[in-house]
């Protein structure tokens, strides 16, 4: 079922409003889950290939709209929700609409691998969280925040 949903990504509404990135985010951002059977039966390569096709179709839609600007189609694994999420925005890969720290990548494999290997989607083991008992030992600086990986694909006319 996951591959079917990914194939439908280019049919989702697409809003390109560089002056209103919030409207883009609200219209263009989607999430996908997968049943345990899909997670265990699909390969990383199959899912990566499935996401590459929508990127090309979205790029064609953007050109058909007459857009001449920058646009990025991007995918990431939201560990907290146990989902793959994707969006398109009229921004460059270094200006995506995230409040957290992220690293853009041209390799979707690690995000898909993490998603498929997630045996309890939406559950984060407490050992993955910061040790709050040692807060008094931390310095006044902010704790280190591990960036998450976001696969990016340039789908705009401008690069």
């Amino acid at each position: 079922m996951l591959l079917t949903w990914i194939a439908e990504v280019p049919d989702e509404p697409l809003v390109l409003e560089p002056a209103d990135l919030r409207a883009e985010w609200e219209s263009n951002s989607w999430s996908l889950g997968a049943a345990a059977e899909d997670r265990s039966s699909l390969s990383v390569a199959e899912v990566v290939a499935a996401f590459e096709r929508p990127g090309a179709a979205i790029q064609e839609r953007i050109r058909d709209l007459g857009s001449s600007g920058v646009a990025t189609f991007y995918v990431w694994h939201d560990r907290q929700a146990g989902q793959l999420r994707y969006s398109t925005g009229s921004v460059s890969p270094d200006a995506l609409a995230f409040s957290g720290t992220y690293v853009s990548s041209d390799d979707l494999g690690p995000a898909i691998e993490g998603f498929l290997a997630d045996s309890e989607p939406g559950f984060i083991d407490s050992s993955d969280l910061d040790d709050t008992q040692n807060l008094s030992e931390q310095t006044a600086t902010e704790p280190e925040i591990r960036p998450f990986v976001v696969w990016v694909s340039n789908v705009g006319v401008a690069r």
Side-chain angles (χ1 to χ4, degrees):
M1 197 68 199
L2 180 64
L3 297 181
T4 301
W5 291 332
I6 294 170
E8 295 171 355
V9 167
D11 300 328
E12 302 290 354
L14 181 64
V15 173
L16 293 177
E17 292 291 335
D20 191 353
L21 297 178
R22 179 180 216 65
E24 286 187 355
W25 177 260
E26 290 173 359
S27 298
N28 301 342
S29 298
W30 303 89
S31 61
L32 296 170
E37 309 85 61
D38 268 354
R39 288 177 191 267
S40 63
S41 67
L42 292 171
S43 72
V44 171
E46 287 175 302
V47 179
V48 167
F51 266 113
E52 289 172 348
R53 287 185 288 275
I58 289 170
Q59 185 173 42
E60 188 174 313
R61 279 183 70 190
I62 289 171
R63 287 186 178 153
D64 289 347
L65 290 171
S67 174
S68 60
V70 172
T72 303
F73 172 62
Y74 51 107
V75 179
W76 69 101
H77 174 212
D78 183 336
R79 287 184 58 213
Q80 289 180 323
Q83 300 172 329
L84 284 175
R85 296 191 184 239
Y86 60 94
S87 190
T88 304
S90 56
V91 295
S92 63
D94 61 345
L96 301 178
F98 293 113
S99 59
T101 306
Y102 70 94
V103 174
S104 60
S105 173
D106 61 0
D107 183 4
L108 181 54
I112 300 301
E113 185 175 359
F115 173 74
L116 293 177
D118 192 351
S119 62
E120 296 183 74
F123 174 78
I124 297 181
D125 189 312
S126 62
S127 64
D128 289 343
L129 302 174
D130 291 337
D131 183 359
T132 56
Q133 293 179 349
N134 292 328
L135 287 176
S136 62
E137 297 174 14
Q138 291 179 350
T139 64
T141 62
E142 291 290 318
E144 181 180 344
I145 298 172
R146 288 181 273 168
F148 60 98
V149 177
V150 179
W151 176 72
V152 296
S153 177
N154 180 356
V155 292
V157 175
R159 298 197 185 255

